Amino acid sequence: ARRKGAGRGEKSAASDKAEEDPEQADAEGAEDRPAKRRKEKAEDAAHEEVPSDRGEVEDDEEEEEESDEEIVEGGEEQDEEEESEDGEGAPGRIWRPGVDEILEGEQLDYDPASYDMIHRAQVEWPCLSIDIVRDDLGAQRTSFPMTAYVVAGTQADQTFDNRIYMMKWSRLYRTAKDGCDDSDENDSDFDSDEEHEAQLVAKGVSHPGSVNRVRAMPQACHIVSTWADTGKVYMWNLDLQRKALDKASDKVPTTSKPIHTCEAHKGEGFAMDFSPHETGRFLSGGNDGQVLLWEPVPGGWNVAADSPFSAHTAAVEDVQWKRTGGSTTTFATCSVDQSLRVWDVRETNRKKSALHVEKAHESDINVLGWNPVMGELIVTGADDGRFKVWDIRNVSAGPMANFLFHRKPITSVDWHPTDETMLAVSSEDNTVSIWDMAVEDDNEGRELPPGAEHYPPQLMFLHQGLRDPKELRWHPQLPGVVVCTAGSGFNIFKTCNV
């Protein structure tokens, strides 16, 4: 990131368009954990209000803070250019978030060349959780403009203002790279300013309480589960809202009844996951320390409330089914009790897990994720900012990787869907990091610019400019594209090196 003079203060073009169009907004460019974690109310987010069936997409130059890392000393841009032309001056210092200070009158700006694509969007209230809605537009889509479908749940000031949003983000064009002469940049992606305008269409449904977590069924993404701060877990059929995204003029109800409600947990929670192997099979884990198995039956679900998985001694923070590797009945959980457990639903004794890493971290474990390519690997992220990679075949040897880069709690982790060594991590330090575990340090003996020692060689990219990031996902159909939600809104981006 380079420093530049502080902020614009003008209302965004997206906001002006949103006021004119009741269905969509266009623009250029494009829970305290149980006791302590990542659920913060909307008063912490100064968002412009937008009716529930639309959102706003922001120009990628309207944000006050962005990534990436290189810092140029504050001063007149003309002086900087003259100094560069003369070849004089000390080499630039690498920006270190959480270490270096931004002086009064300065802000971070990003180099457009560091992104292949970056767009931002907002709805009326900040969202704690997000999930990808799979579509039938094709797998492994790499051409621009891109289209993505997403579901999210809000954290509003008032209970009656909360919504589940089905969203379609379209016309996601490649980011213009100033000064780039690459012929690829002169293709049809850049025909006109009009074509550069990204588009967001959102269809909202009222939700009883704030949404702690939202998940879409991978086999039928119009079936969505939510966990409310009231302690209830709901199943919803949002088929009308999903279909209406492709026909923005269609009017759909803004209220809907859940197709199933579970009140078996003794309080609220965050952990839930649909099985990728068996349609409708579902897990929910709560602050009561229990994990419930939901089996689909005609007309709904049979929730095994009388036989929970109950070995954890504190709140269950995250749960996920094993993605690959032969077993369709294995899942993992992590907890405030600092442990990692692996279970098999066929085990009749549900007070005993198949694998138990008692002190997986020295602090509460917030999130976990199974590797979708190398099925025996799990990543865990904790309150102390550490994330670790485990091989469940040999946990006695300790974690395969142990990183302490982030300076505040880890809020989300997700493996790349096709690259077994790459993962993304979000943190309360207002950054999203992308890592490649296969990278080795090849800088030995080289002279590096000041500040470079702050960054491990496995760190591929550091995305900044968010406030209070909560959850992220790699898009399984758009290679290299990351979607994340934060107190400041949504980001969808693809970096130049992934």
Side-chain angles (χ1 to χ4, degrees):
R2 59 180 180 269
R3 289 178 175 172
K4 62 184 288 187
R8 298 173 174 79
E10 294 96 340
K11 188 176 181 181
S12 70
S15 300
D16 295 336
K17 291 176 180 279
E19 291 176 356
E20 297 170 3
D21 190 339
E23 289 292 336
Q24 62 200 34
D26 297 347
E28 286 192 62
E31 303 169 305
D32 260 301
R33 290 176 316 86
K36 301 183 259 186
R37 197 167 60 160
R38 35 187 195 265
K39 187 175 65 173
E40 297 187 2
K41 298 298 182 178
E43 58 262 25
D44 294 331
H47 287 159
E48 190 164 3
E49 292 189 359
V50 182
S52 61
D53 62 347
R54 70 156 196 253
E56 80 182 46
V57 181
E58 295 184 357
D59 191 322
D60 63 354
E61 296 180 359
E62 292 291 339
E63 199 69 23
E64 291 189 356
E65 295 183 358
E66 228 358 279
S67 61
D68 195 328
E69 294 85 24
E70 188 170 353
I71 187 168
V72 177
E73 193 61 30
E76 294 296 325
E77 292 184 0
Q78 181 178 356
D79 294 339
E80 295 171 358
E81 292 173 359
E82 291 174 356
E83 184 177 60
S84 176
E85 291 173 358
D86 294 337
E88 298 175 356
R93 172 177 290 276
I94 302 297
W95 171 257
R96 298 168 299 171
V99 178
D100 298 324
E101 295 183 359
I102 301 176
L103 302 179
E104 184 177 355
E106 296 180 333
Q107 69 180 46
L108 290 180
D109 192 18
Y110 78 103
D111 180 0
S114 60
Y115 292 90
D116 285 348
M117 177 187 74
I118 179 170
H119 298 277
R120 305 172 192 81
Q122 290 180 327
V123 289
E124 185 178 4
W125 298 103
C127 296
L128 184 72
S129 183
I130 194 171
D131 203 9
I132 304 298
V133 175
R134 293 176 181 266
D135 57 58
D136 57 1
L137 300 180
Q140 305 300 298
R141 308 193 300 268
T142 58
S143 60
F144 292 90
M146 293 182 171
T147 298
Y149 295 84
V150 176
V151 62
T154 66
Q155 292 274 311
D157 260 342
Q158 304 295 327
T159 297
F160 52 80
D161 285 331
N162 281 293
R163 301 284 187 272
I164 311 169
Y165 283 110
M166 272 282 186
M167 295 178 285
K168 178 183 180 181
W169 302 348
S170 59
R171 296 197 294 188
L172 301 174
Y173 278 84
R174 187 192 307 271
T175 297
K177 304 185 190 320
D178 296 340
C180 181
D181 295 328
D182 194 325
S183 60
D184 288 343
E185 305 299 328
N186 297 319
D187 61 18
S188 60
D189 288 358
F190 300 95
D191 286 343
S192 70
D193 289 342
E194 179 68 22
E195 290 185 80
H196 287 176
E197 295 180 350
Q199 184 179 75
L200 165 65
V201 178
K203 300 297 181 181
V205 173
S206 296
H207 186 271
S210 296
V211 180
N212 289 355
R213 187 63 57 88
V214 62
R215 289 290 180 264
M217 186 188 299
Q219 301 89 348
C221 283
H222 62 282
I223 303 298
V224 171
S225 181
T226 59
W227 198 318
D229 62 356
T230 60
K232 297 179 181 179
V233 184
Y234 299 100
M235 293 287 182
W236 306 82
N237 186 342
L238 302 183
D239 191 43
L240 291 177
Q241 288 74 21
R242 168 62 183 84
K243 290 178 178 177
L245 295 177
D246 297 323
K247 297 180 180 179
S249 59
D250 285 3
K251 301 296 182 181
V252 294
T254 57
T255 59
S256 180
K257 292 184 178 180
I259 57 177
H260 190 90
T261 301
C262 173
E263 302 181 46
H265 284 284
K266 303 177 181 69
E268 61 179 316
F270 298 89
M272 46 196 266
D273 193 37
F274 280 103
S275 170
H277 311 292
E278 298 189 30
T279 302
R281 181 175 264 189
F282 183 76
L283 293 164
S284 60
N287 292 358
D288 55 10
Q290 298 185 345
V291 179
L292 302 182
L293 175 64
W294 301 41
E295 294 285 9
V297 296
W301 281 263
N302 178 26
V303 182
D306 56 344
S307 56
F309 299 91
S310 56
H312 283 294
T313 59
V316 176
E317 293 284 74
D318 205 2
V319 61
Q320 193 176 89
W321 292 97
K322 194 170 187 283
R323 296 315 196 201
T324 189
S327 175
T328 63
T329 59
T330 301
F331 68 93
T333 56
C334 61
S335 170
V336 172
D337 65 16
Q338 304 176 4
S339 73
L340 168 68
R341 290 181 180 268
V342 177
W343 310 76
D344 193 319
V345 297
R346 297 170 298 182
E347 173 61 56
T348 57
N349 181 4
R350 294 189 170 179
K351 293 185 178 181
K352 179 183 179 182
S353 57
L355 177 68
H356 179 207
V357 184
E358 184 174 4
K359 271 284 191 180
H361 285 261
E362 295 298 320
S363 61
D364 304 355
I365 307 177
N366 298 332
V367 288
L368 63 79
W370 286 94
N371 192 305
V373 181
M374 298 182 67
E376 311 308 314
L377 302 186
I378 296 179
V379 59
T380 55
D383 249 10
D384 60 4
R386 289 184 184 272
F387 68 93
K388 301 180 181 182
V389 178
W390 304 85
D391 186 334
I392 64 170
R393 295 166 297 189
N394 189 20
V395 295
S396 61
M400 294 178 60
N402 182 357
F403 286 90
L404 179 56
F405 173 78
H406 290 284
R407 295 177 173 268
K408 290 188 177 180
I410 304 299
T411 60
S412 186
V413 292
D414 196 32
W415 290 97
H416 191 285
T418 58
D419 188 330
E420 68 271 17
T421 64
M422 188 168 291
L423 62 106
V425 180
S426 67
S427 169
E428 287 183 12
D429 64 9
N430 297 329
T431 64
V432 171
S433 56
I434 297 178
W435 302 78
D436 189 339
M437 300 293 105
V439 173
E440 297 181 358
D441 188 358
D442 59 357
N443 290 321
E444 186 174 354
R446 296 184 181 181
E447 183 178 354
L448 300 176
E453 71 284 352
H454 179 74
Y455 295 92
Q458 294 82 9
L459 179 61
M460 303 297 293
F461 200 92
L462 190 65
H463 178 70
Q464 300 178 74
L466 299 164
R467 188 181 73 255
D468 199 16
K470 296 299 186 183
E471 194 164 35
L472 58 80
R473 286 286 181 270
W474 293 95
H475 198 296
Q477 296 172 274
L478 305 177
V481 172
V482 176
V483 182
C484 60
T485 183
S488 52
F490 307 108
N491 280 194
I492 180 168
F493 63 90
K494 183 180 187 299
T495 68
C496 65
N497 61 342
V498 174

